[in-house]
Amino acid sequence: LASSLNLNTGITFLFIGQMVERKGIRQLLAAWTKHIEVNPNDNLIVIGAGVLKDSLNEQYAETTSVHILGGIPYNQLHKYYALCDVFIMPTLEDNWCLVIPEAMACHKPVAGSIYNGGTCELVIDGKTGYQFDPLKEASILETLRKFHNSDLILMGEAAMKVEENFWPDKAAKRIYEGIDKYCDK
């Protein structure tokens, strides 16, 4: 898969989400063009469908480090999680972006938007990834840069450990214990 995409040797970042304004993909791609001036060997894989797909694909067609793939069947996404080094979600509004814990379950460090409801619980700066403000280009660029000075394997392992606290059986157990404690009073 990596050779068919003709990936460079740097860090491969992955975005999976709708190609719509509220997902922050436009902001990420704009910052990316500056990021690759300093880190020309990095890659950005973009997976998703939506109203922005065609225009962004056309706009970044000459940017060889950007791979806009469009929609991918869900049963094929695991290949892209395995391929990437870092998952990035620049959403401008989300209650709980499911792709964040999916990536963490795949042992991937995460760059998470501060506008995603789950980021504050899942993304621990310097441990499981980094939080950033996608409305500030400097914040995106700084976050992308930080991964170059991080142990991505160690971060991925930490991400998995944090994410597993949100598995349904553990969440159900906490709910049960809370109800049990309340009923004892």
Side-chain angles (χ1 to χ4, degrees):
L1 183 59
S3 63
S4 70
L5 291 172
N6 198 26
L7 296 180
N8 297 320
T9 58
I11 295 175
T12 297
F13 293 85
L14 173 65
F15 165 89
I16 299 174
Q18 294 175 319
M19 300 278 287
V20 296
E21 291 292 343
R22 75 178 183 85
K23 289 296 184 175
I25 188 62
R26 190 182 303 275
Q27 289 80 358
L28 173 59
L29 286 167
W32 185 262
T33 59
K34 292 183 180 163
H35 171 74
I36 59 171
E37 290 173 5
V38 178
N39 298 285
N41 292 322
D42 284 359
N43 307 284
L44 176 61
I45 298 173
V46 178
I47 295 176
V51 297
L52 297 178
K53 182 190 161 281
D54 291 339
S55 64
L56 292 175
N57 203 18
E58 185 177 314
Q59 184 177 353
Y60 293 96
E62 300 299 316
T63 309
T64 58
S65 64
V66 173
H67 308 272
I68 299 176
L69 305 182
I72 301 289
Y74 186 78
N75 68 353
Q76 297 298 308
L77 289 180
H78 66 280
K79 296 175 184 177
Y80 296 91
Y81 283 123
L83 181 64
C84 79
D85 299 301
V86 176
F87 184 81
I88 186 162
M89 177 45 69
T91 190
L92 304 178
E93 67 165 293
D94 262 307
N95 291 325
W96 182 278
C97 224
L98 188 56
V99 289
I100 297 280
E102 280 182 356
M104 294 173 79
C106 294
H107 297 251
K108 299 301 173 181
V110 174
S113 165
I114 61 171
Y115 304 112
N116 176 23
T119 295
C120 62
E121 294 175 297
L122 296 170
V123 183
I124 303 164
D125 277 339
K127 183 176 179 184
T128 64
Y130 299 99
Q131 297 181 31
F132 67 100
D133 185 343
L135 294 175
K136 296 179 180 173
E137 187 174 80
S139 181
I140 298 171
L141 291 169
E142 179 183 354
T143 298
L144 294 170
R145 179 191 53 75
K146 285 179 181 178
F147 286 105
H148 282 271
N149 300 313
S150 299
D151 184 333
L152 301 181
I153 302 295
L154 192 60
M155 281 184 137
E157 290 171 6
M160 174 61 182
K161 286 184 180 12
V162 167
E163 188 278 332
E164 70 185 11
N165 289 317
F166 294 90
W167 289 1
D169 60 330
K170 292 184 179 179
K173 182 180 178 188
R174 285 193 302 272
I175 291 168
Y176 176 81
E177 288 170 351
I179 292 170
D180 190 49
K181 184 176 178 180
Y182 177 78
C183 289
D184 282 347
K185 291 182 178 189

